[in-house]
C-alpha cells in the first residue's frame, strides 16, 4: 500500500475498503488515516445477498469516491511512483474509457514460476488480450491489479452490480466495456507494477479454485473442451516426437517449434522469467489440466465456491450468470 500512496500523481483520493476482515486489517487501515489526509477507510460488516465479497467492496468504494476517474486495484500491488501519472496521461491521450495494466507476477520457486509462465501463456493463447486494443474486436480484457476507467463508463456498464456474483470480475469489466461499444487499452506494465500472485504452487491451485470454473461459464462442456484442447495442443505434440513415422515426427517438430516461439514471446513480454521454462511446458500443461479438473470437482462437491471464508452456492452462481 505504501508504494500506492507515494505516487508522483497527487490528485488522488484513496478509498480503502475493509471487507469483513477478522485480523488486524481494519486497524492497519485506520492507522493510515494519520499518514495521508487523502485516505478514507470503509469498514464493511455484512455482505448483501447475491454479492461476492470483493465485488461488493469495490462497488462500495466506487460509490464513496468523488473523482471522475476510478482505479480498482488490490492492496498488495506494488506501484512504481509514476504509474498512475502515466496511466492517466495514456487514458486521456488515447481517448479511451478504460485502461488496464498487466503486472509483473513475482514467483519464488521453480515449479511456481513454471506454472505461472504456462498460465500466462495459456491465458494469452485463449483470451488473446492484445485484441482488446483493436476497436473492431469484440474481445475485452481487464486485469485486477490495475483497472482504470472513467466514471461515466463504469456507470454505463452497470457498475459492479451487473457482475456482482462473478469471481472473474476484472475480466468481466473489460468484456462489458467492449459490449457497450467503449474503447479500451491494455498495456504491459513490467517496470511499473508487480505482485506476488501466490507463494507456492499449492496456494496457486487453491487460489484458482474460485474462478477456473467461472471462466468456463460453469459448463461441463467447456471444461471438457478446455481439458482436451490443452492436452491436444500443448502435451500431445511432445509425445508424438517419439513416433517412428518420419512424417509425423516432422510435423511434431514443427508444432513444438511453433509452441516454443509463442511461449518465449509471451514469457519475454509478460514476465521476467527465463524462457527455458519451455522445457517443462508439457508438465506444467498437465498441472494446468489438473487445476481445471480439481476446481470443477471441488465446486460440485462443495456445492459452490468458498472464497475468503464465505461460501457462494453453485446454483446461485449459475443463476446470476444466466447459466
Amino acid at each position: 500500500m505504501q508504494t500506492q500512496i507515494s505516487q508522483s500523481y497527487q490528485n488522488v483520493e484513496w478509498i480503502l475498503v475493509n471487507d469483513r476482515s477478522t485480523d488486524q486489517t481494519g486497524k492497519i487501515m485506520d492507522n493510515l488515516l494519520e499518514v495521508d489526509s487523502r485516505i478514507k477507510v470503509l469498514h464493511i460488516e455484512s455482505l448483501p445477498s447475491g454479492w461476492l465479497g470483493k465485488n461488493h467492496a469495490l462497488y462500495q468504494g466506487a460509490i464513496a469516491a468523488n473523482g471522475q476517474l476510478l482505479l480498482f486495484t488490490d492492496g498488495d500491488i506494488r506501484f512504481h511512483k509514476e504509474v498512475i501519472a502515466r496511466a492517466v496521461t495514456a487514458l486521456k491521450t488515447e481517448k479511451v474509457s478504460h485502461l488496464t495494466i498487466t503486472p509483473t507476477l513475482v514467483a519464488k520457486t521453480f515449479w511456481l514460476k513454471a506454472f505461472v509462465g504456462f498460465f500466462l501463456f495459456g491465458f494469452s493463447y485463449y483470451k488473446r488480450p492484445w485484441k482488446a486494443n483493436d476497436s473492431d474486436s469484440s474481445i475485452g480484457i481487464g486485469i485486477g491489479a490495475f483497472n482504470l476507467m472513467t466514471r461515466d463508463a463504469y456507470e454505463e456498464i452497470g457498475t459492479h452490480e451487473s457482475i456482482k456474483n462473478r469471481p472473474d470480475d476484472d475480466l468481466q469489466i473489460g468484456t462489458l466495456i467492449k459490449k457497450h461499444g467503449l474503447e479500451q487499452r491494455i498495456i504491459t506494465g513490467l517496470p511499473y507494477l508487480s505482485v506476488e500472485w501466490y507463494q507456492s504452487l499449492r496456494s496457486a491451485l487453491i487460489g484458482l479454485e474460485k474462478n477456473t470454473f467461472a471462466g468456463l461459464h460453469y459448463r461441463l462442456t467447456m471444461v471438457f473442451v478446455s481439458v482436451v484442447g490443452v492436452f491436444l495442443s500443448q502435451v500431445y505434440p511432445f509425445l508424438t516426437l517419439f513416433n517412428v513415422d518420419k512424417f509425423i515426427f516432422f510435423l511434431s517438430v514443427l508444432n513444438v517449434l511453433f509452441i516454443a516461439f509463442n511461449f518465449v514471446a509471451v514469457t519475454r513480454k509478460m514476465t521476467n522469467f527465463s524462457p527455458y521454462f519451455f522445457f517443462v511446458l508439457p508438465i506444467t500443461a498437465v498441472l494446468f489440466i489438473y487445476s481445471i479438473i480439481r476446481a470443477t470437482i471441488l465446486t460440485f462437491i462443495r456445492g459452490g465456491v468458498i472464497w475468503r471464508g464465505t461460501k457462494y452456492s453453485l446454483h446461485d452462481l449459475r443463476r446470476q450468470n444466466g447459466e
Side-chain angles (χ1 to χ4, degrees), residues 2-289:
Q2 188 60 47
T3 62
Q4 297 179 12
I5 63 178
S6 301
Q7 291 291 294
S8 63
Y9 190 87
Q10 293 294 305
N11 188 25
V12 178
E13 175 188 39
W14 293 103
I15 311 295
L16 310 187
V17 185
N18 170 30
D19 180 27
R20 300 167 295 138
S21 65
T22 56
D23 53 17
Q24 296 299 308
T25 299
K27 183 176 180 180
I28 293 172
M29 287 183 174
D30 287 336
N31 290 338
L32 288 172
L33 292 170
E34 302 176 4
V35 176
D36 196 317
S37 60
R38 299 172 301 170
I39 292 177
K40 179 179 180 180
V41 177
L42 300 181
H43 295 282
I44 295 178
E45 303 296 336
S46 61
L47 181 65
S49 176
W51 282 88
L52 264 68
K54 178 188 175 184
N55 299 2
H56 179 250
L58 293 175
Y59 177 62
Q60 292 302 316
I63 291 175
N66 295 303
Q68 292 306 305
L69 293 180
L70 301 172
L71 170 62
F72 298 102
T73 187
D74 297 322
D76 58 350
I77 310 297
R78 296 183 61 85
F79 281 33
H80 182 282
K81 66 179 181 180
E82 297 290 336
V83 67
I84 292 182
R86 289 177 178 267
V88 170
T89 299
L91 183 137
K92 292 181 177 179
T93 301
E94 296 288 326
K95 297 180 180 180
V96 297
S97 299
H98 173 238
L99 183 142
T100 191
I101 302 179
T102 63
T104 300
L105 296 182
V106 178
K108 295 178 180 178
T109 67
F110 176 88
W111 284 111
L112 179 60
K113 287 182 179 179
F115 183 78
V116 170
F118 180 83
F119 179 86
L120 292 174
F121 171 64
F123 175 80
S124 300
Y125 194 88
Y126 174 65
K127 288 290 187 180
R128 295 177 294 164
W130 62 87
K131 295 291 289 182
N133 292 338
D134 186 348
S135 299
D136 297 326
S137 172
S138 61
I139 294 176
I141 202 72
I143 306 297
F146 199 99
N147 266 324
L148 176 68
M149 65 178 61
T150 64
R151 180 178 290 277
D152 288 343
Y154 182 63
E155 293 176 353
E156 183 172 340
I157 67 174
T159 73
H160 276 87
E161 280 194 295
S162 62
I163 52 170
K164 59 185 180 182
N165 219 7
R166 291 287 310 203
D168 54 346
D169 59 288
D170 49 355
L171 294 175
Q172 292 303 314
I173 285 286
T175 300
L176 287 173
I177 287 288
K178 277 299 182 75
K179 282 186 176 180
H180 283 76
L182 303 174
E183 292 287 329
Q184 66 179 186
R185 294 289 183 272
I186 178 172
I187 298 174
T188 301
L190 294 187
Y192 297 103
L193 293 174
S194 66
V195 61
E196 186 175 11
W197 197 28
Y198 295 108
Q199 294 184 333
S200 66
L201 178 59
R202 180 176 181 274
S203 63
L205 294 174
I206 293 173
L208 291 174
E209 291 173 8
K210 69 181 185 296
N211 51 17
T212 301
F213 201 18
L216 298 173
H217 308 290
Y218 303 107
R219 296 178 182 173
L220 289 177
T221 52
M222 288 294 293
V223 171
F224 176 79
V225 170
S226 297
V227 168
V228 173
V230 172
F231 179 80
L232 292 179
S233 63
Q234 310 300 323
V235 180
Y236 190 66
F238 290 88
L239 299 178
T240 53
L241 285 174
F242 299 97
N243 197 294
V244 294
D245 187 296
K246 291 184 179 180
F247 181 70
I248 295 178
F249 172 77
F250 177 72
L251 290 179
S252 300
V253 169
L254 290 180
N255 203 346
V256 169
L257 289 176
F258 176 77
I259 295 171
F261 175 82
N262 286 285
F263 179 84
V264 171
V266 170
T267 298
R268 287 180 172 173
K269 183 74 173 178
M270 302 186 69
T271 76
N272 291 322
F273 302 159
S274 168
Y276 290 112
F277 281 109
F278 167 76
F279 292 107
V280 294
L281 185 142
I283 299 175
T284 50
V286 171
L287 284 171
F288 186 68
I289 290 172

Side-chain angles (χ1 to χ4, degrees), residues 275-320:
Y276 290 112
F277 281 109
F278 167 76
F279 292 107
V280 294
L281 185 142
I283 299 175
T284 50
V286 171
L287 284 171
F288 186 68
I289 290 172
Y290 167 73
S291 74
I292 295 174
I293 296 173
R294 179 179 184 274
T296 303
I297 291 174
L298 286 176
T299 300
F300 276 102
I301 290 176
R302 295 167 177 169
V305 172
I306 298 176
W307 190 5
R308 295 183 179 177
T310 301
K311 179 180 177 179
Y312 306 94
S313 76
L314 178 58
H315 173 75
D316 290 341
L317 291 171
R318 280 177 158 170
R319 179 172 54 83
Q320 289 287 336

